[in-house]
Amino acid sequence: MNLFSYFLANSGRPIHKNVHYFPIYERHFQPFVGRPLTMIEIGCGGGGSSQMWKRYFGPYARIVGIDINPACRAYEDEQVKVRIGSQSDPAFLADVVDEFGAPDIVLDDGSHQMADVNATFNWLYSRLYSGGIYLVEDLHTAYWDEFGGGFRRPGTFIERCKDLIDEFNADHTRGALPPTEFSVATQSMHIYDSVVVFERGRAVDKRSIITGNAQHY
């Protein structure tokens, strides 16, 4: 199924997405299509996106929506479950993970408040399965005051990602940064317009190897 075609043809519950997100979704989510998986979607919106993910990933996918609006319970069906609570509440997130297990994919499309985005990442990223995807979207809000953002404002998730790039490369800092759980358990970071994607998994082989004949130097 082509996600963007589905989005354009949608006549059901509303889906609000930026057009340029769809190639990002396809790039990072396609390997999960047709597989058993648990996806936590933070922010249920109008209920249409959970239907899109259900149809995209297939009959073995379980979509768990998180929202503070109790009306979102109406979006539940056989594959879509909704739990009501704050994305920044570790106890609530712990209850969700205890109930449904570690997620394979987390998509943060929640409040977009920088405090909430950071708090959710603090608790949930380390609970993601190895090989899983953590995607934060609508990060243009990291530059907007009303979301706790601002250009180069300390504490925004964009500024945190800049620090995480250094942390990700801790092995090469000659002791300036010690390895962390994040640096050891993160395979890659991808920065897009308004979107950051983390691929969690065993670190890549970082050895430096020379092959070929030294006489050709």
Side-chain angles (χ1 to χ4, degrees):
M1 171 185 136
N2 181 278
L3 270 175
F4 189 55
S5 295
Y6 177 94
F7 173 70
L8 291 177
N10 176 47
S11 59
R13 293 170 179 159
I15 308 171
H16 183 193
K17 295 291 183 184
N18 288 356
V19 169
H20 76 276
Y21 291 179
F22 286 88
I24 301 171
Y25 295 149
E26 294 275 10
R27 176 178 180 181
H28 294 283
F29 292 168
Q30 196 281 327
F32 295 88
V33 171
R35 292 171 42 188
L37 71 96
T38 297
M39 176 186 193
I40 293 179
E41 181 179 34
I42 301 167
C44 295
S49 60
S50 60
Q51 294 299 306
M52 178 176 70
W53 298 128
K54 181 179 77 172
R55 285 166 173 75
Y56 178 66
F57 289 116
Y60 305 111
R62 178 171 54 187
I63 314 302
V64 181
I66 289 175
D67 207 287
I68 60 172
N69 182 2
C72 293
R73 290 193 181 99
Y75 304 148
E76 288 198 324
D77 61 28
E78 73 285 353
Q79 281 181 254
V80 177
K81 305 302 175 185
V82 176
R83 295 296 177 263
I84 304 303
S86 171
Q87 71 174 93
S88 63
D89 181 356
F92 168 67
L93 295 175
D95 287 343
V96 171
V97 172
D98 286 346
E99 181 178 3
F100 296 103
D104 300 280
I105 295 173
V106 173
L107 193 161
D108 188 345
D109 186 21
S111 74
H112 309 310
Q113 291 290 333
M114 293 300 104
D116 289 341
V117 175
N118 276 303
T120 308
F121 186 83
N122 286 346
W123 196 90
L124 199 49
Y125 181 70
S126 63
R127 274 74 178 184
L128 192 68
Y129 265 125
S130 180
I133 301 293
Y134 195 108
L135 188 152
V136 184
E137 64 183 47
D138 293 345
L139 277 173
H140 43 273
T141 56
Y143 299 97
W144 297 352
D145 291 345
E146 62 268 33
F147 291 92
F151 180 59
R152 294 184 177 171
R153 179 175 178 176
T156 72
F157 198 70
I158 286 293
E159 292 304 307
R160 182 173 187 180
C161 287
K162 295 174 185 179
D163 291 335
L164 286 174
I165 291 171
D166 289 332
E167 191 173 330
F168 180 62
N169 287 284
D171 285 348
H172 311 298
T173 64
R174 296 181 171 177
L177 287 175
T180 65
E181 194 278 338
F182 176 84
S183 67
V184 170
T186 301
Q187 194 168 75
S188 65
M189 294 176 61
H190 303 259
I191 312 295
Y192 304 93
D193 182 336
S194 303
V195 175
V196 177
V197 181
F198 302 87
E199 292 184 329
R200 185 170 168 81
R202 185 176 300 173
V204 297
D205 187 342
K206 299 180 181 179
R207 294 174 296 166
S208 178
I209 298 175
I210 297 175
T211 64
N213 192 324
Q215 294 178 352
H216 290 285
Y217 264 77

